[in-house]
């Protein structure tokens, strides 16, 4: 039985309790946070378990890499709690159950992972992906399973993720280019946190894009635009990849506006919040986020995650902001058309 | 019979009569499970006068006449059970008038649902009608005749409730106007404040006359439509969910569906809630009212709103629903049939359990397709089973399952919608005897020779 | 196509195939013409299934129903089912069964005989095939393009004018090309669609072999029918060359300013030919050509692009005319559509459409109000050098 690699002593010695103090949805001072966090560790009742919106941020806030969010999810499940309503949880569990309907390109040792997100396949076209295509995988059999953190179902992760890594290995893949940071986060944060072996190298698509842009340097025409960046929840699992966003922007002549809800203070897209907490908080989060982008004077909002894009693109467009996935932004820089468009 | 052929040719022209075996084969069947029975002739009139001549001829020769629209009821309603003439109404397909201020349209007997929708979108974009989910070739008149339901049924009742007048060719050949149009040039009412004679024709499945024109209410078309889907895994909660939703009076249409495939739909009951508005504010307000109405289920975690991705929304919003037709090919077999009894909303849980139970018993693929009628006054619970048309055994199992559904629905206190001949018999057996006699009297009065779609609503 | 008999029962006869995508109009040419449900796609498929199972015996009427389909692919476009892409293959499959059994309408049999004997369905002499050419150069190895003219372009009076216009334009633009003249043979597209697979195979293989011997690398066709079969079906018979419809090449030449255009005032509407549009998704180039001509006002018919209404000439009906007669014949319906736009010119990119519409305009008494012109003719008239 897989167990979370959590070190109580790190939390015992922690003075800042950043996991809870910095949380955007729970209002606790350091002292109260310390008390409540100990309750969580010990498996006792705590309002933290109910208040959690599953935004993943505390994974990043913890300076010790001690997986506070994963622990919260473990505790929620132990107590039989549901974050999202039970039928919605069932739906997501059923939806991504491997059923033998996966699809493969001509898979080689290096392969693109579209996970279980067809939109990624639409995005990964053009010169930047010429060399990597047609080696790709897509399907529930390769699904990273990170989403079940939102549903207090680490049991599903523990059950399915080992098989996922096996499925990928069986394709002969030695290097997996993850086109979503949930996938990258799954193999670099979640899997190790549960002692699940990952028998292949993973490359975040930011790094892949950055290298490809350098290869096509001569084709780049600086975009000279100001953009906001929508930092998604799973970016919190792998903050070491964040610098690539600025590196890419630097290559393609894009300025990232300064705004309140960026970096560690980023707001998630809100749709998971809508499922777990209801429309009021979700609408509030989305409004604050979009207002912030509008006030910062950005022309574009650049997305990392197709689901954030689906959640916010139309709403942004109505406020005069052009939504664009970072892959599409890179394509624009080399004179190609975007794949995802609103309307 | 060649005299009959020549007589029909004289009425509609050679190009629009056939006694060829190919037309007789095709028009002797429908996409459902009823046994075929071929007509002797298929005719396609173009005017009321041609219809009248055909009916008079048939009456004189005592030959059955079956008026046919799209033929999509799936319950054999236009299979000519005693042969005779199938009268394909689809050449009589004009849209005669739209009265924008009074919000009604006058269509001909074969005007299609798709044609009307398209016409209104193009010429009267502020108006819409209650379009059913049937394919667009279904006709407006036939849909009303069978008491069909559509996108506005939750608000305004059966599509037949929206009728504002009729022109009917009686089985004996007279042409009657029913409603305000009988005394005025306006078609605003099918009866009130006069005696409502429309009830002599709606629901009678073509056994009391041929409707050649119909007035139909139109309703405001809002600029924006959106959808929410509320999901619960407890069927027993569905009636209360519907009660709460309909109380808000914020909803365009409510459909409920449950099916085991694809896996993401397994174990759940999905309440599709369609919302319209002229502005984002209106839409958001309605959404909030709807969310608040169901908050207690969200709080108890017994139900929640599904995230409908932008690329999935068109599937829910399209009118009519292509996805419904696609259900026919789930088994790669080109067929499905459903029994859609009208029952109380309270019966949803029992019906849903019965649906699944019969699927297991008869080894079938199923989908429950439900529409709310009025403010939860009742629901149409569609017990839909697919079949492979090349698998006779499977077709037989579906028939058996639907027969059990028919019995079950009546036991629940429901009534059959667009009933097969057998279901009509089942209802008539239970019917109040004097009511049944009344039906017989009406039929006998209007159709003394019994030529109109015989074997349907055959009293005694 | 081979497996059609195992699949054809899947039609639900739901009738989506009868309409345009917005249900504005009936868009199945044979259903529009005849109005019996048997003449729609679902009718055809159900009757074929009945025939295959022995429930229905073959008759001339059954064959007429099957052969009145122009294979325009509106049903493929509109059918919501997973098998939609296969529908025309099923029709062709059923036809090939009828051909094999010798159970086809006489007009269809004559069509095959003419192609077999004369290399064209009009039963005109092979030696006259190049008579239109007026000195147009014969293809030689090393020429960049083989200009494949086709049967109508070679023999039909109106289509010959299209061929001549195009040849002039290619010369004007300095394109290296040549024709086969009397050595050209039928492409076989209609033969295939009508189910004579054996004859089609002979045509495809013979043509492919000839092109190979001549070292043909690129073919430009006048007709979308030839474009369709050479691009999509010939590769299965050993062909290995690039195929273009002339509108693709012409648009390229205009973009590269190899063809210079001057003012030509006209209000034009464009008919999307089925084999260019629905079959091969080429909708833009013809329009862009027209829009490149100063003075041309391009107006669209209500039903356009994927919703274009077939001229009724497909599946050999530009000769056999199984859908003729009356105001509901597809070509007459379509010229009325064109007239309703207020256009004075109905632009075509297909000799079959040209043939059908020229006759239809007369039947509709629109001679003085609407002219059919091929795009190549419009461009030729707009040349700056004129």
């Amino acid at each position: 039985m897989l167990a979370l690699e959590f070190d109580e002593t790190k939390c015992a010695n922690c003075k800042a309790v950043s996991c809870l103090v910095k949380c955007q949805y729970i209002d606790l001072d350091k002292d109260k946070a310390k008390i409540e966090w100990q309750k969580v560790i010990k498996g006792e009742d705590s309002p933290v378990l109910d208040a959690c919106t599953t935004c993943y941020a505390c994974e990043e806030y913890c300076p010790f890499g001690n997986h506070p969010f994963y622990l919260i999810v473990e505790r929620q499940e132990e107590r039989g709690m549901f974050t999202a309503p039970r039928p919605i949880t069932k739906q997501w569990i059923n939806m991504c159950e491997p059923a033998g309907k996966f699809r493969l390109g001509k898979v080689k040792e290096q392969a693109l992972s579209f996970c279980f997100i067809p939109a990624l396949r639409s995005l990964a076209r053009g010169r930047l992906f010429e060399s990597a295509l047609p080696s790709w995988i897509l399907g529930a059999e390769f699904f990273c399973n990170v989403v079940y953190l939102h549903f207090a179902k680490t049991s599903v992760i523990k059950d399915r993720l080992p098989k996922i890594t096996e499925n990928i290995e069986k394709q002969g893949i030695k290097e997996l280019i993850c086109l979503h940071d949930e996938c990258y986060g799954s193999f670099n944060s979640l899997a190790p946190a549960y002692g699940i072996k990952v028998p292949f190298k993973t490359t975040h698509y930011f790094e892949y894009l950055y290298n490809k842009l350098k290869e096509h340097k001569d084709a780049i025409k600086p975009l000279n635009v100001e953009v906001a960046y929508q930092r998604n929840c799973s970016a919190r699992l792998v903050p070491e990849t964040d610098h690539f966003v600025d590196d890419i922007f630097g290559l393609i002549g894009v300025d990232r506006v300064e705004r309140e809800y960026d970096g560690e203070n980023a707001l998630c897209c809100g749709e998971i919040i809508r499922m777990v907490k209801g429309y009021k908080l979700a609408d509030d989060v989305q409004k604050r986020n979009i207002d912030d982008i509008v006030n910062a004077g950005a022309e574009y909002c650049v997305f990392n995650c197709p689901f954030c894009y689906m959640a916010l693109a139309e709403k942004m467009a109505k406020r005069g902001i052009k939504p664009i996935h970072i892959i599409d932004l890179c394509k624009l820089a080399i004179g190609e058309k975007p794949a995802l468009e609103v309307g | 019979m060649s005299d009959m052929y020549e007589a029909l040719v004289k009425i509609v022209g050679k190009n629009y009569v056939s006694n060829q075996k190919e037309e007789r084969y095709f028009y002797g069947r429908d996409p459902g499970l009823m046994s075929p029975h071929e007509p002797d002739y298929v005719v396609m009139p173009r005017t009321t006068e041609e219809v009248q001549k055909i009916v008079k001829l048939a009456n004189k020769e005592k030959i059955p006449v079956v008026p046919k629209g799209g033929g999509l009821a799936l319950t054999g309603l236009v299979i000519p059970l005693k042969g005779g003439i199938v009268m394909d109404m689809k050449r009589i397909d004009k849209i005669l008038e739209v009265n924008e201020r009074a919000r009604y349209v006058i269509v001909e007997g074969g005007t299609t649902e798709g044609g009307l929708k398209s016409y209104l979108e193009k010429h009267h974009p502020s108006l819409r009608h209650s379009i059913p989910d049937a394919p667009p070739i279904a006709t407006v008149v036939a849909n009303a005749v069978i008491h069909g339901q559509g996108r506005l049924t939750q608000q305004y009742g059966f599509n037949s409730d929206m009728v504002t007048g009729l022109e009917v060719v009686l089985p004996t050949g007279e042409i009657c106007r029913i409603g305000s149009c009988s005394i005025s040039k306006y078609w605003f009412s099918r009866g009130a404040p006069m005696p409502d004679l429309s009830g002599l024709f709606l629901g009678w499945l073509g056994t009391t006359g041929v409707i050649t024109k119909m007035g139909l209410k139109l309703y405001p078309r809002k600029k924006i439509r959106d959808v929410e889907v509320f999901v619960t895994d407890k069927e027993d909660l569905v009636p209360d969910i519907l009660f709460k939703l309909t109380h808000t009076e914020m909803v365009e249409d409510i459909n409920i569906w449950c099916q085991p495939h694809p896996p993401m739909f397994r174990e759940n009951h999905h309440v599709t809630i369609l919302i319209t508005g002229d502005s984002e504010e209106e839409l958001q307000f309605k959404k909030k009212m709807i969310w608040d109405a169901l908050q207690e289920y969200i709080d108890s975690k017994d139900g929640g709103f599904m995230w409908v991705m932008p690329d999935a929304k068109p599937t829910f919003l399209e009118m009519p629903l292509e996805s419904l037709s696609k259900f026919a090919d789930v088994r790669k077999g080109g067929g499905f049939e459903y029994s859609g009894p009208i029952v109380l909303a309270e019966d949803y849980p029992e019906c849903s359990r019965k649906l699944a139970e019969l699927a297991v018993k008869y080894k079938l693929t199923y989908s429950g397709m439900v529409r709310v009628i009025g403010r939860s006054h009742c629901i149409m619970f569609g017990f839909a089973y697919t079949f492979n048309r090349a698998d006779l055994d499977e077709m037989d199992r579906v028939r058996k399952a639907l027969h059990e559904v028919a019995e079950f629905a009546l036991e629940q206190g429901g009534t059959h919608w667009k009933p097969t001949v057998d279901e009509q018999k089942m209802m008539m057996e239970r019917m109040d005897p004097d009511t049944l006699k009344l039906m017989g009297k009406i039929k006998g009065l209007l159709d003394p020779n019994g030529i109109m779609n015989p074997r349907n609503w055959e009293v005694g | 196509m081979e497996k059609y008999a195992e699949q054809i029962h899947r039609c639900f006869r739901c009738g989506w195939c009868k309409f345009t995508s917005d249900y504005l109009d009936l868009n199945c040419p044979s259903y529009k013409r005849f109005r019996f449900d048997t003449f729609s796609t679902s009718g055809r498929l159900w009757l074929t299934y009945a025939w295959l199972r022995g429930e229905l015996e073959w008759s001339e009427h059954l064959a007429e129903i099957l052969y009145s389909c122009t294979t325009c692919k509106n049903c493929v476009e509109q059918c919501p089912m997973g098998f939609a892409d296969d529908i025309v293959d099923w029709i062709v499959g059923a036809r090939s069964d009828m051909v094999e059994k010798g159970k086809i309408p006489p007009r269809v049999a004559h069509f095959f005989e003419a192609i077999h004997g004369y290399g064209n369905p009009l039963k005109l002499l092979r030696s006259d095939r190049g008579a239109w050419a007026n000195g147009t150069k014969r293809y030689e190895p090393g020429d960049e393009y083989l200009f494949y003219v086709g049967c109508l372009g070679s023999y039909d009076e109106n289509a010959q004018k299209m061929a001549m216009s195009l040849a002039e334009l290619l010369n004007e633009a300095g394109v290296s090309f040549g024709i086969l003249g009397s050595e050209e043979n039928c492409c076989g597209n209609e033969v295939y669609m009508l189910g004579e697979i054996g004859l089609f195979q002979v045509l495809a293989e013979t043509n492919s072999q000839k092109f190979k011997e001549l070292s043909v690398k690129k073919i430009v066709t006048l007709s979308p029918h030839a474009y369709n079969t050479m691009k999509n079906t010939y590769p299965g018979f050993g062909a290995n060359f690039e195929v273009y419809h002339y509108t693709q090449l012409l648009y390229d030449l205009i973009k590269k300013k190899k063809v210079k255009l001057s003012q030509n005032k006209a209000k034009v509407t464009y008919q999307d030919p089925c084999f260019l549009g629905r079959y091969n998704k080429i909708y833009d180039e013809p329009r862009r050509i027209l829009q490149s001509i100063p003075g041309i006002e391009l107006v669209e018919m209500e039903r356009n692009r994927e919703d274009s209404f077939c001229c009724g000439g497909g599946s050999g009906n530009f000769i056999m005319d199984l859908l003729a007669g009356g105001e509901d014949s597809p070509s007459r319906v379509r010229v009325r559509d064109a007239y309703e736009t207020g256009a004075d010119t109905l632009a075509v990119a297909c000799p079959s459409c040209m043939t059908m519409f020229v006759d239809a305009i007369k039947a509709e008494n629109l001679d003085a109000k609407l002219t059919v012109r091929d795009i190549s003719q419009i461009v030729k008239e707009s040349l700056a050098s004129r």
Side-chain angles (χ1 to χ4, degrees), chain A residues 13 19 49 61 64 77 81 93 97 103 114 117 146 168 176 203 235 260-261 276-277 313 320 339:
Chain A
N13 296 328
C19 52
L49 297 179
Y61 295 154
F64 307 111
E77 187 166 12
M81 285 175 67
I93 292 172
E97 190 179 352
R103 297 180 63 194
F114 300 138
I117 308 172
V146 168
I168 294 170
L176 192 70
T203 302
E260 188 182 343
Y261 298 115
V276 307
K277 291 287 167 219

Side-chain angles (χ1 to χ4, degrees), chain A residues 197-237:
Chain A
K197 285 204 172 15
V198 180
F200 44 85
K201 178 175 178 280
T202 52
T203 302
H204 194 285
Y205 81 99
F206 284 169
E207 184 178 354
Y208 172 85
L209 271 180
Y210 179 67
N211 290 333
K212 281 292 157 191
L213 284 168
K214 284 201 296 185
E215 271 176 40
H216 289 84
K217 215 167 51 168
D218 294 336
I220 296 176
K221 276 201 181 110
L223 294 172
N224 296 323
V225 291
E226 292 197 320
V227 308
Y229 176 59
Q230 169 56 28
R231 193 158 182 254
N232 53 311
C233 52
S234 46
R236 308 282 198 171
L237 305 183

Side-chain angles (χ1 to χ4, degrees), chain B residues 15 21-23 25-27 29 31 44 68 90 114 118 122 135 322 325-326 328-329 332 334 388-389, chain C residues 9-10 12-14 16 22-24 31 35-38 46 50 55 57 59 61-62 80-81 302:
Chain B
N15 288 339
K21 60 176 163 47
E22 287 79 10
E23 275 74 48
Y25 178 92
F26 193 79
Y27 281 85
R29 286 154 177 80
M44 302 194 72
K68 175 184 180 291
K90 296 197 294 295
S118 185
K122 190 175 166 196
E322 257 190 26
S325 296
K326 282 181 183 168
D329 204 41
K332 294 196 168 24
N388 183 332
R389 212 173 284 283
Chain C
H9 65 279
R10 289 167 70 182
F12 185 47
R13 60 187 269 184
C14 52
W16 290 83
D22 61 1
Y23 330 119
L24 188 69
Y31 180 66
R35 297 309 301 271
F36 287 105
D37 286 341
T38 40
W46 273 56
E55 268 189 271
E57 275 182 28
S59 71
H61 187 55
L62 176 64
M81 305 299 186
E302 196 95 59

Side-chain angles (χ1 to χ4, degrees), chain C residues 220-221 244-252 270 276 282 285-286 289 349 375:
Chain C
V220 59
T221 73
Y244 301 93
H245 182 255
Y246 86 79
T247 51
Q248 295 174 296
L249 177 57
L250 189 54
Y251 180 55
D252 196 51
Y270 170 66
L276 204 59
I282 296 172
E285 285 89 327
I289 292 171
I375 284 182

Side-chain angles (χ1 to χ4, degrees), chain A residues 39-220:
Chain A
K39 286 183 190 171
V40 172
I41 292 172
K42 287 174 189 155
E44 291 167 8
D45 272 340
S46 168
V48 168
L49 297 179
D50 199 51
C52 177
T53 64
T54 74
C55 74
Y56 299 5
C58 47
E59 274 297 297
E60 183 179 30
Y61 295 154
C62 175
F64 307 111
N66 207 23
H67 307 305
F69 176 55
Y70 301 163
L71 182 68
I72 288 173
V73 179
E74 287 273 336
R75 294 291 180 259
Q76 287 172 332
E77 187 166 12
E78 280 162 16
R79 304 175 82 71
M81 285 175 67
F82 284 95
T83 48
R86 187 184 57 250
I88 300 292
T89 303
K90 274 186 191 171
Q91 189 179 70
W92 279 81
I93 292 172
N94 290 338
M95 183 162 67
C96 304
E97 190 179 352
K101 288 186 179 169
F102 59 90
R103 297 180 63 194
L104 301 170
K106 295 195 177 112
V107 181
K108 296 189 241 184
E109 285 191 354
Q110 185 198 62
L112 294 168
S113 172
F114 300 138
C115 189
F116 195 25
I117 308 172
L120 293 175
R121 189 160 173 223
S122 308
L123 280 164
R125 301 265 162 98
R127 274 175 289 165
L128 296 173
F129 292 91
E130 246 166 16
S131 55
L133 287 169
S135 174
W136 54 267
I137 56 176
L138 167 65
E141 279 70 10
F142 312 115
F143 177 56
C144 62
N145 281 268
V146 168
V147 77
Y148 296 113
L149 293 171
H150 290 303
F151 295 100
K153 288 289 173 200
T154 53
S155 58
V156 174
I157 296 170
K158 289 178 214 173
D159 176 47
R160 292 184 185 173
L161 190 54
K163 290 171 199 152
I164 299 297
T165 56
E166 268 176 41
N167 290 341
I168 294 170
E169 191 189 21
K170 270 186 204 152
Q171 297 302 324
I173 294 168
K174 302 270 190 288
E175 182 193 353
L176 192 70
I177 300 167
C178 301
L179 282 160
H180 193 280
D181 43 26
E182 288 220 342
C183 295
Y184 190 80
S186 181
F187 301 125
N188 289 279
S189 170
L190 191 54
Y194 283 94
I196 299 171
K197 285 204 172 15
V198 180
F200 44 85
K201 178 175 178 280
T202 52
T203 302
H204 194 285
Y205 81 99
F206 284 169
E207 184 178 354
Y208 172 85
L209 271 180
Y210 179 67
N211 290 333
K212 281 292 157 191
L213 284 168
K214 284 201 296 185
E215 271 176 40
H216 289 84
K217 215 167 51 168
D218 294 336
I220 296 176

Side-chain angles (χ1 to χ4, degrees), chain C residues 173-339:
Chain C
V175 175
S176 153
F177 77 100
I179 59 169
L180 291 175
S182 56
E183 297 295 315
E184 191 185 89
N185 205 3
C186 177
C187 68
N189 187 67
E190 306 314 288
V191 171
Y192 180 90
M193 292 297 163
L194 291 166
E196 228 298 13
I197 308 305
L199 177 58
F200 172 77
Q201 190 168 344
V202 169
L203 291 168
E205 284 172 354
T206 315
N207 283 335
S208 299
Q209 184 56 29
K210 182 179 291 177
F211 299 157
K212 192 175 167 189
E213 283 162 10
L214 290 169
S215 307
V216 171
K217 299 279 183 289
K218 293 182 188 175
I219 295 180
V220 59
T221 73
L222 181 69
S223 169
H225 294 232
Y227 171 77
N228 177 64
T229 198
M230 290 186 183
K231 184 169 173 62
N232 297 315
T233 324
Y234 272 39
F237 293 89
N240 184 18
F241 39 77
E242 295 169 37
V243 189
Y244 301 93
H245 182 255
Y246 86 79
T247 51
Q248 295 174 296
L249 177 57
L250 189 54
Y251 180 55
D252 196 51
L253 294 171
I254 290 172
K255 269 195 304 182
K256 289 177 176 159
K257 299 200 189 329
K258 299 269 176 75
V259 173
K260 294 196 179 62
L261 302 165
S262 65
Q263 185 82 4
N264 185 353
K265 198 163 163 46
K267 195 167 180 184
V268 179
T269 191
Y270 170 66
Q271 163 71 359
D272 289 285
C274 305
F275 283 103
L276 204 59
R278 278 187 290 265
Y279 272 78
N280 289 287
K281 311 294 175 209
I282 296 172
Y283 297 109
D284 290 329
E285 285 89 327
R287 285 172 169 81
R288 287 182 188 148
I289 292 171
L290 293 167
Q291 285 165 331
S292 304
I293 303 171
I296 297 273
E297 183 193 350
L298 181 63
V299 291
E300 295 281 2
M301 288 184 267
E302 196 95 59
R303 295 181 273 183
N304 60 69
R305 293 177 177 258
E306 296 84 358
D307 283 329
S308 180
F309 186 60
C310 174
C311 69
S315 267
N317 277 293
F318 55 82
I319 301 289
M320 297 189 304
D321 233 359
L322 287 170
L323 283 80
E327 60 181 20
D328 287 333
S329 73
S331 53
R332 288 182 64 175
V333 170
R334 199 53 171 159
V335 300
R336 290 199 297 271
D337 284 353
Y339 179 64

